[in-house]
């Protein structure tokens, strides 16, 4: 009998539209650095930890900061972001994904989350989705963020699943690279051409049929 795969969901940009709030917050930080962050460059920040995002931005802006200033900017970015998400609720769930998760749960799929965000648990609670997850790996659980596969390996261990029996849902190139590295099945969600490296790409969850798995 075919093993029922474990589903590992990303959070920002897959379950909820918070990716836009990350972009807005980084844009404000970039203004302080006299750097104009384009949506194209922002694609490279998706799935990447907060501090690695700032490292990338500083490189693009050709600037450097001492560690105190670096930490200060990271805090400012997070404060801006937390302000933006303070009122989020289930209306911020991306259409179709909650239905997909509920149906998958009903069909006995094991459900995990791997997000690079340190705010992931807080957001899942706000969205009223926390209880659907059998395992949660977030930015506090890993040393190396996507595209390193550490978090996906941890999610597979916590759910007692073989990596080859896991299906990853991701909107970021970094996340797809990470899943591909350990032979998980990767599903890109969205329209970015950076997702072409995934095993399959869908624009929306409504297009995915559970029986495909
Ligand atoms: C990822 C986002 O989920 O989390 C990135 O795609 C973000 O854009 C990263 O930088 C870290 O998030 P946080 O909430 O810990 O700053
Ligand atoms: Mg994402």
């Amino acid at each position: 009998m075919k093993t029922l795969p474990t589903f590992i969901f990303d959070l920002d940009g897959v379950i909820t539209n918070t990716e836009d709030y990350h972009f807005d917050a980084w844009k404000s930080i970039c203004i302080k650095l006299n750097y104009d962050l384009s949506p194209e460059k922002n694609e490279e920040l998706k799935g990447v930890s907060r501090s690695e995002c700032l490292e990338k931005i500083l490189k693009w802006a050709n600037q450097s900061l001492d560690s105190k200033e670096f930490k200060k900017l990271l805090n400012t970015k997070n404060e801006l972001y937390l302000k933006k998400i303070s009122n989020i609720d289930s209306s911020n769930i991306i259409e179709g994904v909650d239905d997909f998760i509920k149906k998958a749960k009903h069909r006995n799929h094991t459900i995990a989350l791997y997000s690079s965000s340190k705010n992931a648990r807080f957001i899942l609670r706000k969205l009223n989705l926390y209880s659907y997850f059998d395992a949660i790996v977030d930015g506090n659980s890993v040393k190396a963020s996507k595209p390193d596969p550490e978090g996906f390996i941890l999610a597979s261990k916590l759910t007692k699943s073989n990596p080859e029996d896991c299906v990853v849902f991701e909107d970021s190139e970094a996340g797809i690279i990470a899943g591909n590295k350990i032979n998980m099945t990767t599903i890109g969600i969205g329209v970015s051409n950076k997702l072409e490296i995934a095993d399959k790409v869908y624009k929306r969850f409504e297009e995915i049929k559970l029986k495909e798995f």
Side-chain angles (χ1 to χ4, degrees):
M1 219 173 78
K2 205 179 138 201
T3 314
L4 205 57
T6 292
F7 289 154
I8 309 179
F9 292 84
D10 174 45
L11 179 69
D12 299 304
V14 168
I15 293 180
T16 170
N17 55 10
T18 41
E19 204 54 82
D20 299 341
Y21 303 139
H22 278 296
F23 183 41
D24 288 348
W26 279 128
K27 260 191 114 55
S28 306
I29 296 295
C30 286
I31 289 169
K32 290 184 200 287
L33 295 167
N34 265 326
Y35 176 71
D36 184 23
L37 180 65
S38 67
E40 292 72 33
K41 273 298 190 204
N42 185 57
E43 282 300 315
E44 295 179 40
L45 301 182
K46 290 185 178 177
V48 174
S49 72
R50 199 181 308 160
S51 58
E52 282 170 274
C53 284
L54 185 53
E55 276 165 21
K56 279 180 187 277
I57 288 169
L58 289 172
K59 216 172 175 185
W60 299 332
N62 221 349
Q63 293 193 38
S64 59
L65 296 175
D66 65 33
S67 70
K68 208 173 145 199
E69 289 169 323
F70 189 90
K71 277 192 193 132
K72 205 173 147 204
L73 266 198
L74 283 187
N75 283 338
T76 309
K77 190 271 171 175
N78 198 42
E79 278 163 16
L80 288 169
Y81 179 64
L82 288 178
K83 232 183 241 166
K84 288 174 197 291
I85 62 168
S86 63
N87 289 322
I88 66 164
D89 58 23
S90 50
S91 66
N92 290 79
I93 297 173
I94 294 174
E95 232 177 301
V97 67
D98 46 347
D99 202 41
F100 185 89
I101 292 173
K102 286 169 192 169
K103 283 186 179 144
K105 198 82 195 146
H106 188 71
R107 201 181 174 223
N108 278 328
H109 286 271
T110 300
I111 310 281
L113 184 104
Y114 171 34
S115 165
S116 300
S117 172
K118 293 185 171 169
N119 297 301
R121 286 170 194 267
F122 169 73
I123 292 172
L124 272 187
R125 285 197 183 94
K126 293 277 249 180
L127 301 176
N128 254 324
L129 290 176
Y130 196 94
S131 61
Y132 288 95
F133 290 86
D134 300 295
I136 295 174
V137 176
D138 67 11
N140 300 297
S141 333
V142 292
K143 283 206 185 81
S145 98
K146 301 165 190 176
D148 190 284
E150 182 186 344
F152 284 125
I153 294 170
L154 182 56
S156 70
K157 281 193 182 138
L158 291 174
T159 56
K160 300 186 172 53
S161 319
N162 293 319
E164 312 83 73
D165 296 327
C166 294
V167 177
V168 163
F169 297 97
E170 265 291 346
D171 68 319
S172 72
E173 183 185 28
I176 300 288
I177 293 172
N180 284 346
K181 273 185 190 158
I182 49 167
N183 292 324
M184 291 185 169
T185 300
T186 49
I187 309 287
I189 307 286
V191 292
S192 163
N193 55 14
K194 295 210 180 276
L195 297 175
E196 281 163 12
I197 51 167
D199 293 310
K200 263 191 174 176
V201 183
Y202 295 93
K203 285 194 188 76
R204 286 179 289 276
F205 264 91
E206 279 112 330
E207 294 171 12
I208 315 175
K209 302 266 172 295
L210 254 187
K211 57 177 189 242
E212 285 174 36
F213 300 101

